[in-house]
Amino acid sequence: MKTWITGTLAAALLSQGALASNLPDGPQDATLRTSSGDEVRLSRWRGKPVILFYEDKDSTALNAGLKEELFARGKERNLLGAATVVAVANLMKFDFFPARQIALSYVRDEEKKVGVPILVDLKGTMGAAPWTLPLKTSNVLLLDAQGVLLYRHSGKMKPEEQTAFFETLSKLVGVDLTTPVAAPGATP
């Protein structure tokens, strides 16, 4: 997952996925916190595409398959540095003493396990405008290098929704990522 995890833009991105035309206009930003409490703006990662996962503690496994496939495809195609993965933990329900410190400690432990910094949202920033993300599920977003939101999905992705995600990501990084990773021992 390291630094990378984790159709056309006018085509309908099925189910709970969003059409590019239904997304907020222009670059998006938000101020969140690191697990150590420092403020950080999402615009910090501008300059390359961003894959953003926003999840509460009960939703981290919903799109685990997508995260694994994303890392596998990036590794296979030597693209782990082509985009930045930003993980954001929704910790709103833990924003009180002593739960806050326990939750932040858990996030720091997870950061060590996966090797990806995990930002925290203690105030529901990502649930407010312009993001308006559902707070109690897995959200997957793709932003271009300027911070413009091009793809958004809430909930568990179906296979056809993952296809739309990889098609959009392919356009962002300039490499076809629509083909799954070859199984070990498979012939091309």
Side-chain angles (χ1 to χ4, degrees), residues 55-68:
E55 301 169 319
D56 71 336
K57 77 173 189 68
D58 298 323
S59 304
T60 58
L62 278 180
N63 287 309
L66 170 70
K67 294 171 192 175
E68 291 168 8

Side-chain angles (χ1 to χ4, degrees), residues 17-83:
L19 283 171
S21 61
N22 293 338
L23 300 174
D25 290 333
Q28 303 300 303
D29 204 0
T31 300
L32 300 165
R33 297 204 173 266
T34 65
S35 62
S36 59
D38 299 324
E39 275 193 359
V40 64
R41 296 188 63 79
L42 289 178
S43 56
R44 170 184 178 181
W45 287 279
R46 288 196 183 141
K48 56 169 87 169
V50 172
I51 304 156
L52 189 143
F53 291 94
Y54 179 72
E55 301 169 319
D56 71 336
K57 77 173 189 68
D58 298 323
S59 304
T60 58
L62 278 180
N63 287 309
L66 170 70
K67 294 171 192 175
E68 291 168 8
E69 187 63 23
L70 179 61
F71 178 70
R73 292 183 194 192
K75 185 176 179 182
E76 179 185 69
R77 292 160 176 95
N78 198 27
L79 291 173
L80 294 181

Side-chain angles (χ1 to χ4, degrees), residues 35 57 60 89 91 99-113 118:
S35 62
K57 77 173 189 68
T60 58
L91 298 183
R100 181 184 317 105
Q101 293 310 317
I102 295 167
L104 290 172
S105 176
Y106 177 79
V107 168
R108 285 189 289 273
D109 290 345
E110 286 299 306
E111 286 176 318
K112 290 175 190 170
K113 282 185 208 173
I118 302 173

Side-chain angles (χ1 to χ4, degrees), residues 44-184:
R44 170 184 178 181
W45 287 279
R46 288 196 183 141
K48 56 169 87 169
V50 172
I51 304 156
L52 189 143
F53 291 94
Y54 179 72
E55 301 169 319
D56 71 336
K57 77 173 189 68
D58 298 323
S59 304
T60 58
L62 278 180
N63 287 309
L66 170 70
K67 294 171 192 175
E68 291 168 8
E69 187 63 23
L70 179 61
F71 178 70
R73 292 183 194 192
K75 185 176 179 182
E76 179 185 69
R77 292 160 176 95
N78 198 27
L79 291 173
L80 294 181
T84 301
V85 173
V86 177
V88 181
N90 172 7
L91 298 183
M92 267 182 56
K93 67 182 178 182
F94 301 106
D95 192 20
F96 63 93
F97 181 83
R100 181 184 317 105
Q101 293 310 317
I102 295 167
L104 290 172
S105 176
Y106 177 79
V107 168
R108 285 189 289 273
D109 290 345
E110 286 299 306
E111 286 176 318
K112 290 175 190 170
K113 282 185 208 173
V114 298
V116 173
I118 302 173
L119 302 179
V120 297
D121 183 1
L122 292 164
K123 304 295 180 196
T125 301
M126 300 300 285
W131 300 95
T132 60
L133 297 176
L135 300 175
K136 296 182 179 182
T137 192
S138 174
N139 295 277
V140 181
L141 294 86
L142 289 174
L143 292 90
D144 69 12
Q146 291 75 41
V148 176
L149 183 58
L150 298 179
Y151 177 87
R152 169 183 164 160
H153 181 85
S154 297
K156 182 175 174 66
M157 282 191 182
K158 296 175 184 170
E160 61 270 19
E161 294 161 340
Q162 285 190 23
T163 298
F165 168 85
F166 282 111
E167 287 172 349
T168 305
L169 183 58
S170 294
K171 291 177 187 280
L172 288 173
V173 299
V175 175
D176 183 10
L177 292 165
T178 59
T179 307
V181 173

